[in-house]
């Protein structure tokens, strides 16, 4: 019987992720990995950010889902190049999937690559994709205790986007609590409260993103 240790698989992933980072870097492309629970508002936020960044960057999107192409179709409607990855059961994207998707993109026409990971607050934490920036998306309806309960995904992220702030009056979500908990894990992490549906907070988040990726 052959047993493959998980550490070996993760090591192989890390190596591939470095290759992705080098390839994207050589092509002048800044990769952003969006992670968060199913339904946290990742695609809605992405739609709002793409609109806000129009004319400032040449974006492309890789959509990760277990099945279907609903999110990729939403992005396609905006006229943005998009590749859909179906993981067929896997609860996260990995670097080999991104390598395959990158091969389907015209890299010369892109300088900002968004990767929407499979909706999951646990599995996505262990897999570097070769991005430069990881943003964790948490909606107000999920509860403000998530940074304490799921530290790994927050710890490895550079920024926290708190989505669905229009629902704050209907929840007991405490922005101060999540800010304190996130900063404990990522002292210099950026935090942006946004309501993608109304556009509130989106310009500030888009400006920060543009500046961070050098646009
Ligand atoms: N009230 C409110 N609802 C929102 C907001 N952003 C997203 N939603 C809703 O939340 C639901 C999920 O949004 P999506 O953007 O599809 O979430 P997602 O994280 O991409 O979901 P998966 O890709 O399935 O993981 C949809 O019904 C959205 O309309 C927001 O700012 N406010
Ligand atoms: Mg989505």
């Amino acid at each position: 019987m052959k047993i493959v240790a998980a550490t070996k698989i993760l090591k192989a992933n890390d190596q591939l992720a470095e290759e992705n980072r080098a390839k994207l870097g050589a092509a002048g492309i800044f990769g952003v990995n969006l992670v968060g629970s199913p339904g946290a508002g990742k695609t809605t936020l992405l739609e709002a950010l793409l609109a806000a960044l129009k004319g400032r960057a040449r974006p492309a999107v890789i959509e990760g889902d277990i099945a279907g192409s609903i999110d990729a179709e939403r992005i396609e409607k905006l006229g943005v190049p998009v590749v859909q990855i179906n993981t067929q059961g896997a609860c996260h994207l990995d670097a080999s999937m991104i390598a395959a998707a990158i091969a389907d993109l015209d890299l010369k026409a892109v300088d900002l690559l968004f990767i929407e990971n499979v909706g999951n607050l646990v599995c996505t934490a262990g897999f570097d994709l070769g991005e430069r920036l990881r943003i964790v998306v948490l909606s107000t309806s999920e509860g403000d205790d998530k940074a304490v309960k799921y530290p790994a995904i927050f710890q490895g992220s550079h920024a926290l986007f708190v989505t669905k702030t229009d629902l704050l009056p209907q929840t007991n979500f405490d922005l101060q609590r999540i800010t304190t908990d996130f900063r404990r894990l990522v002292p210099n992490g950026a935090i942006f409260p946004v309501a993608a549906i109304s556009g509130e907070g989106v310009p500030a988040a888009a400006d920060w993103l543009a500046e961070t990726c050098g646009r």
Side-chain angles (χ1 to χ4, degrees), residues 107-187:
L107 298 187
K108 289 189 292 302
V110 177
D111 46 39
L112 178 57
L113 176 64
F114 288 103
I115 302 166
E116 181 182 340
N117 218 314
V118 178
N120 195 297
L121 216 48
V122 181
C123 318
T124 48
F127 288 81
D128 183 3
L129 304 179
E131 72 271 19
R132 292 274 302 279
L133 194 70
R134 193 169 91 193
I135 296 173
V136 60
V137 177
L138 178 72
S139 58
T140 55
S141 55
E142 288 171 77
D144 54 19
D145 55 1
K146 295 299 171 287
V148 174
K149 296 177 74 174
Y150 302 85
I153 193 77
F154 290 88
Q155 197 147 33
S157 296
H158 304 90
L160 165 66
F161 284 19
V162 177
T163 54
K164 310 191 191 181
T165 53
D166 54 303
L167 299 181
L168 276 170
Q170 279 80 48
T171 68
N172 61 355
F173 193 95
D174 183 349
L175 269 173
Q176 191 49 55
R177 179 180 180 190
I178 195 73
T179 300
T180 304
D181 290 344
F182 181 61
R183 287 265 161 73
R184 197 172 290 131
L185 297 167
V186 189

Side-chain angles (χ1 to χ4, degrees), residues 30-99:
F30 192 94
V32 180
N33 181 9
L34 285 175
V35 295
S37 304
K42 296 179 294 300
T43 311
T44 310
L45 173 68
L46 195 45
E47 289 166 329
L49 288 173
L50 288 168
L53 290 167
K54 207 165 185 162
R56 282 196 272 176
R58 296 175 306 155
V61 175
I62 295 174
E63 281 291 348
D65 280 291
I66 287 177
S69 57
I70 291 173
D71 285 357
E73 286 162 28
R74 287 169 64 180
I75 301 301
E76 205 161 46
K77 275 197 192 129
L78 305 176
V80 173
V82 58
V83 177
Q84 175 80 55
I85 298 173
N86 278 160
T87 63
Q88 296 177 337
C91 54
H92 60 86
L93 292 174
D94 66 31
S96 71
M97 297 176 196
I98 298 303

